[in-house]
Amino acid sequence: MLFPPPRPHRLKVENFGPIKSADVSFGNLTVFVGPQATGKSILLQLQKLLVDTPSIKKEFARAGVDWSGDYHGFLDVYFGEGMRSLLKPDTRITLNGSPVDLERQIREKRPHRQESMFFIPAQRVLALRDGWPSAFNYYDASVPFTLREFSEHLRLLMSDFGTEGTLFPVPRRLKAEFRDLLQDHIFPGFDLKIDTQRAQKRLVLASQDKDGGSLPVAVWSAGQREFVPLLLGLYWLMVSSKTPRRKGVNWAVIEELEMGLHPRAIAVVMLMMFELMARGYRVCLSTHSPQVLDAVWALQRLKNHGAPASELLQVFAVEPTAPMLELAEKVMQRNIKVYYFDREAGKTKDISALDPSAEEAGESGWGGLAEFSGRANEAVARAVANSNQ
Amino acid sequence: MGFKEVVAATPKLAGQWQAGLGALRPQDKSHVTPEDTSTARLRGSVDIDSALTASDPNGNRWDFAIGYQHANRSDEYIYWVETHTGSDSQISLVLRKLAWLKTWLKGDGKKLAKFDKSFVWVPSGATSFTKGATQVRMLADQGLLYTGSVFKIPINHATAKLDNATHNRSRRRH
């Protein structure tokens, strides 16, 4: 059975922060690429604000955040201190063809709806800064909502694991194939556990060797520090193998999934993004990793050429077990969009075709991600051509 | 001597020089575009493949040579261009063509070999390589630049190379 295409969801934005003009039609997977500070993250945050206004307001109210009906004050507490300047007098937002009056949407009382978009922010490592996730209120109002909310979700998640529980590997959490890959590439020889030290709970990496000790967050590798909050976020989204999605949650945003990770680990995480897609989430990624686009490019091409699902698993060097083949088959029916945020033009460009031979440099160079390789190849080719050796 | 004169003096290429991109087959012309839309910088082209068919019918002959005058170089530059399907299965054939060209440049083409140059493979259809692909790196290691479907000849070369007189003239203008 063919997977139905996603409901159209098109966001157009003009004059919003660094964005002069963005026009994004979201797919089952949507990937944003582009240099730093071109508006990828704020566009995703805006998207969350648009789809989750009631739950965001409720969370602020619950935490005692008083924006006193001041619209610009609200923008500061939502996007983070000083970010009210994102909105300009000539900012225009259009969602699915209808203009959005953001101020009115924020001010008006609407019936509460559960959160629909789960956001794993790029600054996620801060959520575990002290070895244990902090409550929403712990952060001051200068911190963006998405980080505060993510930290709060992790705090709630911890209560599912008891006081001295194991967080990884855990049966029935993630497919066995994922557990094996993560063990190999991210936690070799270690379990992720909850430990209590002087009455304070904390996360540790406990050696699987009987005589080995436990490592607190401060001594984890950069990749492990970055990955653990991402893993916990994925636990939040992948409730169990029998429940494909968390109730009410349709969107999953993961910013810079590649942070701190070796390419082999990035491949595992990318495969987990495919798992989210297969479960029916609309997944949005922002990335600076050419490897993420390599994976998307391979998926697009294999899909277009009617390749068997096992070919996709080959890309990730994964055994074609029945659950993984099912995952790959589902993903190969999904629709993917890729957008480049062009700093010079202040515009988004649809580069979903990812055509390496495209005349447009933004597309062939994959939004700058392959630009350096291209220049390196050119320089080497010239040097070899003109060498006397 | 410039590109045109050296072509005329090269065995079996006499009379083969053509102005602009005139030597390119019609189907190849859309794959090569000078960035400078005035064609004054183009110093002509030669269809190597056709010119040498009779003398080397079984050779893996290269396609074209294009002479170009970059704004930041004193001497003319040659782009040796092969328009060819861009896929894994064609790599060995294109590398054989490159080897043929390098050999020819040591023999009959030795005067043309004195120009600074780039060997360029322009994919003639959809390509299966990404810019960072291992195959593209491997080709670069052989001196072969793999481009997008349209090869844009830049006005300025990546590395300027001006003789003293031209350099001084250029400085005075600025």
Side-chain angles (χ1 to χ4, degrees):
Chain A
M1 189 188 78
L2 281 180
F3 188 79
R7 252 184 354 171
H9 193 103
R10 184 175 180 188
L11 177 62
K12 289 174 78 173
V13 175
E14 285 173 28
N15 304 313
F16 180 64
I19 299 171
K20 288 192 186 116
S21 169
D23 184 355
V24 174
S25 290
F26 289 86
N28 294 112
L29 172 66
T30 308
V31 183
F32 287 173
V33 295
Q36 262 87 21
T38 44
K40 301 183 296 296
S41 184
I42 57 159
L43 195 71
L44 289 168
Q45 290 178 64
L46 175 66
Q47 165 70 2
K48 176 164 175 70
L49 180 55
L50 294 174
V51 300
D52 278 338
T53 313
S55 73
I56 292 166
K57 284 168 66 178
K58 189 179 178 195
E59 186 67 31
F60 276 141
R62 199 186 56 78
V65 175
D66 182 10
W67 50 287
S68 308
D70 169 14
Y71 168 58
H72 289 100
F74 179 90
L75 297 177
D76 265 348
V77 290
Y78 177 73
F79 287 104
E81 188 174 333
M83 299 295 271
R84 64 173 65 193
S85 59
L86 292 173
L87 263 284
K88 298 167 186 169
D90 55 354
T91 296
R92 301 277 178 274
I93 301 168
T94 311
L95 187 59
N96 295 327
S98 304
V100 175
D101 181 340
L102 190 60
E103 180 169 1
R104 189 173 155 198
Q105 179 162 333
I106 289 167
R107 287 185 188 284
E108 77 184 0
K109 288 195 171 135
R110 289 185 177 187
H112 174 63
R113 267 202 350 251
Q114 204 180 337
E115 175 191 56
S116 160
M117 180 181 260
F118 182 72
F119 203 109
I120 304 183
Q123 315 96 314
R124 56 186 165 269
V125 73
L126 296 175
L128 287 181
R129 189 176 38 188
D130 303 320
W132 194 254
S134 306
F136 189 95
N137 270 2
Y138 171 86
Y139 299 92
D140 67 41
S142 67
V143 177
F145 174 87
T146 48
L147 175 60
R148 300 175 75 179
E149 188 199 39
F150 175 68
S151 189
E152 175 70 13
H153 282 317
L154 295 200
R155 192 182 68 81
L156 295 173
L157 182 76
M158 289 303 175
S159 59
D160 293 351
F161 287 92
T163 47
E164 298 257 342
T166 298
L167 275 77
F168 181 87
V170 188
R172 292 183 300 280
R173 284 278 188 182
L174 308 179
K175 287 183 164 66
E177 290 84 348
F178 285 131
R179 293 200 299 271
D180 291 345
L181 289 165
L182 293 175
Q183 189 86 75
D184 284 351
H185 298 304
I186 299 178
F187 303 122
F190 288 93
D191 292 345
L192 179 65
K193 290 192 166 190
I194 297 172
D195 177 37
T196 306
Q197 190 76 3
R198 291 187 291 278
Q200 173 59 56
K201 285 192 276 184
R202 61 177 191 164
L203 291 177
V204 292
L205 284 175
S207 172
Q208 290 167 340
D209 183 345
K210 275 184 196 160
D211 304 323
S214 291
L215 308 176
V217 172
V219 299
W220 294 358
S221 73
Q224 288 166 335
R225 274 202 299 272
E226 293 285 352
F227 179 71
V228 168
L230 174 56
L231 173 70
L232 298 178
L234 293 174
Y235 277 178
W236 180 267
L237 288 163
M238 299 180 195
V239 183
S240 74
S241 53
K242 294 208 172 99
T243 313
R245 281 184 286 146
R246 184 167 281 273
K247 193 177 168 201
V249 181
N250 301 313
W251 296 79
V253 176
I254 297 96
E255 293 188 317
E256 299 182 34
L257 61 87
E258 68 275 9
M259 281 198 295
L261 297 177
H262 183 275
R264 284 183 190 161
I266 295 175
V268 182
V269 178
M270 196 59 206
L271 206 51
M272 293 172 86
M273 299 299 109
F274 288 174
E275 166 80 9
L276 293 177
M277 286 164 69
R279 285 172 178 248
Y281 283 111
R282 289 179 91 138
V283 179
C284 304
L285 307 177
S286 66
T287 185
H288 296 301
S289 165
Q291 192 183 345
V292 170
L293 289 197
D294 272 339
V296 171
W297 178 74
L299 172 57
Q300 300 263 46
R301 294 300 185 275
L302 295 174
K303 184 177 151 184
N304 294 346
H305 292 283
S310 55
E311 285 285 10
L312 182 61
L313 298 178
Q314 279 285 321
V315 174
F316 294 90
V318 169
E319 290 295 318
T321 58
M324 296 310 279
L325 278 171
E326 188 188 351
L327 182 157
E329 276 161 13
K330 282 183 178 168
V331 166
M332 287 175 81
Q333 294 169 25
R334 303 302 201 256
N335 148 291
I336 302 173
K337 302 291 287 184
V338 182
Y339 289 92
Y340 167 44
F341 285 62
D342 183 337
R343 188 200 298 283
E344 283 72 35
K347 291 182 176 176
T348 56
K349 290 179 183 164
D350 183 344
I351 58 167
S352 306
L354 290 177
D355 179 2
S357 61
E359 200 174 335
E360 164 67 43
E363 182 166 350
S364 63
W366 292 358
L369 297 188
E371 206 173 82
F372 187 84
S373 298
R375 284 203 307 272
N377 289 329
E378 279 180 37
V380 170
R382 273 195 307 271
V384 175
N386 293 290
S387 163
N388 294 324
Q389 290 169 23
Chain B
M1 282 203 293
F3 176 69
K4 182 179 179 181
E5 294 75 27
V6 175
V7 169
T10 298
K12 304 178 190 81
L13 292 189
Q16 299 295 325
W17 178 92
Q18 295 198 43
L21 297 176
L24 275 67
R25 294 168 299 199
Q27 67 267 32
D28 293 325
K29 283 190 175 149
S30 60
H31 292 292
V32 180
T33 315
E35 204 174 66
D36 184 349
T37 48
S38 78
T39 52
R41 296 194 174 282
L42 275 173
R43 297 299 161 93
S45 53
V46 184
D47 181 347
I48 301 285
D49 187 13
S50 303
L52 302 181
T53 304
S55 60
D56 190 2
N58 299 319
N60 290 299
R61 299 175 306 279
W62 196 257
D63 279 350
F64 310 105
I66 299 168
Y68 197 78
Q69 180 62 64
H70 288 290
N72 60 348
R73 290 198 151 219
S74 305
D75 295 329
E76 293 174 10
Y77 193 90
I78 301 181
Y79 287 98
W80 297 91
V81 175
E82 173 75 21
T83 53
H84 200 97
T85 312
S87 69
D88 274 302
S89 63
Q90 297 301 307
I91 288 177
S92 58
L93 173 57
V94 175
L95 286 178
R96 283 201 299 276
K97 283 171 166 260
L98 182 64
W100 175 93
L101 177 60
K102 286 177 177 173
T103 305
W104 181 79
L105 285 170
K106 286 178 186 159
D108 284 354
K110 63 186 173 200
K111 286 183 182 158
L112 285 165
K114 288 182 180 161
F115 288 78
D116 279 354
K117 58 191 161 296
S118 288
F119 302 124
V120 184
W121 175 357
V122 185
S124 52
T127 179
S128 60
F129 309 138
T130 62
K131 277 200 171 175
T134 311
Q135 295 95 326
V136 177
R137 263 187 223 118
M138 187 268 284
L139 294 171
D141 244 353
Q142 302 287 322
L144 185 53
L145 173 64
Y146 186 84
T147 68
S149 61
V150 176
F151 172 52
K152 286 186 185 158
I153 302 177
I155 297 173
N156 283 308
H157 190 272
T159 51
K161 202 169 175 186
L162 296 172
D163 57 32
N164 284 342
T166 317
H167 183 66
N168 291 339
R169 271 202 306 279
S170 165
R171 285 185 62 173
R172 275 200 296 275
R173 273 203 297 278
H174 293 95

